Amino acid sequence: ALPISPICSSRSINCSFYSGLYQVRSLAMYKTLVITFFSIIFLVQNSYAKVPIAGDPAPNFSLTSVAGNKISLSDLKGKTVLVGMFHICVPCMKQALEFNKVRDQLSSEKLTILGINTSGDSKTSVMDYLNGFPEGVKFPYLLDPDQSVHKNYSQRDMPTVLVIDSEGVIQARVPWVGADQLVKFLKKFL
């Protein structure tokens, strides 16, 4: 039984209305707390439940490059794929320039490097951004107008770097990383 309302100190007829009101309010507050608790648990679980990490199969994507070429991850099976999930920002530009260094050091046919604008920016905005680089990118740069890669990979870091092996399995998922570290790691898969 719920306690008697602090408004009423006795069980007189005059206090029965206030006591009942207090019990209804207490029950409503209890229900609200329970619903809030389970809602928070549900949201936290969902925000972390679908993050593909090293060892997981890489979710497929099919996107079009700024040059107009359609590229699907599934078509790249048999190759190691280095993916940069980028926005229009300075850290992403720096990562893209590190990818250029990787391309210079590893020109293997078994390696594909992709940049993906995952923030849904327009082709014009992305081209303006890329034209501001000190050098052109040496890999396909894909557009994701629906942000499907951002959603399917639960991107949280800008940039996010993925190494996907020839079987389509994620081998690494990290934020910004230098070309020297990438080259050493990628050589294991080439």
Side-chain angles (χ1 to χ4, degrees), residues 8-87:
C8 300
S9 57
S10 71
R11 294 194 180 264
S12 70
I13 295 175
N14 294 338
C15 290
S16 65
F17 170 76
Y18 293 110
S19 178
L21 182 62
Y22 178 74
Q23 288 178 355
V24 168
R25 283 186 179 167
S26 294
L27 184 60
M29 187 169 59
Y30 174 76
K31 286 180 180 178
T32 302
L33 286 173
V34 168
I35 290 169
T36 302
F37 174 76
F38 283 110
S39 296
I40 290 170
I41 295 298
F42 176 77
L43 291 172
V44 169
Q45 260 186 335
N46 281 342
S47 68
Y48 288 98
K50 299 178 184 175
V51 177
I53 59 173
D56 290 343
N60 190 39
F61 55 81
S62 292
L63 301 171
T64 303
S65 73
V66 293
N69 301 317
K70 187 160 182 135
I71 297 176
S72 295
L73 182 61
S74 60
D75 293 340
L76 300 173
K77 285 239 175 153
K79 294 184 175 192
T80 298
V81 183
L82 174 61
V83 177
M85 294 191 291
F86 301 140
H87 284 199

Side-chain angles (χ1 to χ4, degrees), residues 124-142:
T124 302
S125 295
V126 172
M127 290 304 298
D128 289 345
Y129 168 67
L130 293 174
N131 289 332
F133 283 23
E135 65 183 50
V137 293
K138 300 175 183 178
F139 50 88
Y141 207 94
L142 310 177

Side-chain angles (χ1 to χ4, degrees), residues 112-151:
T112 298
I113 300 175
L114 301 173
I116 304 172
N117 174 273
T118 57
S119 61
D121 296 308
S122 70
K123 181 178 179 179
T124 302
S125 295
V126 172
M127 290 304 298
D128 289 345
Y129 168 67
L130 293 174
N131 289 332
F133 283 23
E135 65 183 50
V137 293
K138 300 175 183 178
F139 50 88
Y141 207 94
L142 310 177
L143 301 171
D144 186 10
D146 298 327
Q147 297 183 304
S148 60
V149 172
H150 179 85
K151 294 170 190 167

Side-chain angles (χ1 to χ4, degrees), residues 169-187:
V169 176
I170 299 171
Q171 294 298 320
R173 179 188 176 124
V174 295
W176 190 94
V177 61
D180 292 339
Q181 292 172 302
L182 281 170
V183 168
K184 285 179 190 173
F185 188 76
L186 288 166
K187 282 183 178 180

